[in-house]
Amino acid sequence: MYYLRELRAKKCVSQQTIADYLGITNQAYSNYENGKREADYETQLKLAEYFGVPLDALFRGAATSGRTYRVPILGTVAAGLPIAAQQDIEGHTYTTLNGGAEYFALRVKGDSMDRAHIPNGCLVIVRQQERVENGEIAVVIVGEENGTVKRYKQEGDTVQLVPVSFNLDHETQVHKAGDVRVVGLVKQIQIEP
């Protein structure tokens, strides 16, 4: 999916050098380069910055072919304290993401993720999945119906939902693992004009 091997060869650096830059293991980076795992949106931004290319230059196929896929906008999710998740389809948007996975979009309310380039009012394109890696940005349900988008970190029976914000009033939320259900991984951000 990514042109990472070609970009790395042009820059004449090792996988370990890039893994160190991203703060991940060499194996995790290798999985991105070999197409075994897709990088989350924030990691994609870091990779594009590292290689000095536009975000679209990281991708093969759909992202460069111009082909788009329609995904439903399923309401609003909090980028702040969890709020009651809305499940009403309010319309549709389009994305170049595909890969056979199920995608949906949510409108972000709040500023707790603005430092991760997820501002209030934007749309996040989410790949529906029940698990994410520590450090990835996920949409989760806390309790029965409170949804939020945060950096996810689990240690044993505890889940931390970490804000990535310029607003220092936002604090890490700590929950029992059984009280948090992952809905999906944030894969793309759409900022409407």
Side-chain angles (χ1 to χ4, degrees):
M1 168 173 246
Y2 300 116
Y3 282 126
L4 295 177
R5 184 173 291 127
E6 293 89 339
L7 291 168
R8 183 172 59 81
K10 286 180 186 177
K11 201 166 176 98
C12 296
V13 295
S14 68
Q15 287 186 349
Q16 188 62 56
T17 299
I18 300 170
D20 291 345
Y21 172 79
L22 295 173
I24 61 176
T25 66
N26 188 34
Q27 182 60 50
Y29 174 76
S30 179
N31 287 342
Y32 297 151
E33 194 168 287
N34 294 319
K36 293 180 181 176
R37 181 161 176 81
E38 291 182 36
D40 63 33
Y41 176 75
E42 191 172 2
T43 301
Q44 291 174 26
L45 285 176
K46 288 179 182 176
L47 286 166
E49 180 181 339
Y50 182 83
F51 289 116
V53 297
L55 192 59
D56 287 350
L58 295 178
F59 300 98
R60 290 189 174 127
T64 56
S65 71
R67 184 166 182 187
T68 58
Y69 303 90
R70 190 170 103 148
V71 295
I73 302 171
L74 299 180
T76 303
V77 68
L81 294 175
I83 59 172
Q86 299 178 9
Q87 291 293 321
D88 301 324
I89 294 179
E90 66 175 54
H92 291 85
T93 189
Y94 294 86
T95 181
T96 55
L97 296 172
N98 185 15
E102 293 290 324
Y103 290 91
F104 60 91
L106 293 167
R107 189 168 309 282
V108 172
K109 182 177 181 180
D111 66 353
S112 74
M113 296 302 289
D114 59 359
R115 198 163 48 100
H117 308 283
I118 303 175
N120 183 47
C122 75
L123 289 175
V124 289
I125 307 299
V126 180
R127 182 175 63 199
Q128 187 173 330
Q129 60 187 65
E130 296 178 358
R131 293 185 183 157
V132 293
E133 298 285 329
N134 277 346
E136 291 183 321
I137 297 175
V139 174
V140 300
I141 300 291
V142 180
E144 293 299 316
E145 60 183 43
N146 293 321
T148 191
V149 57
K150 293 284 182 293
R151 186 181 305 282
Y152 180 92
K153 184 176 181 184
Q154 182 170 352
E155 294 178 357
D157 293 345
T158 303
V159 170
Q160 296 178 22
L161 302 176
V162 183
V164 184
S165 180
F166 294 111
N167 181 347
L168 300 179
D169 291 338
H170 294 290
E171 297 179 356
T172 297
Q173 303 165 28
V174 180
H175 302 277
K176 292 180 180 178
D179 293 340
V180 178
R181 180 173 53 93
V182 174
V183 176
L185 177 67
V186 173
K187 296 296 295 177
Q188 192 177 69
I189 311 301
Q190 293 181 354
I191 300 174
E192 297 176 331

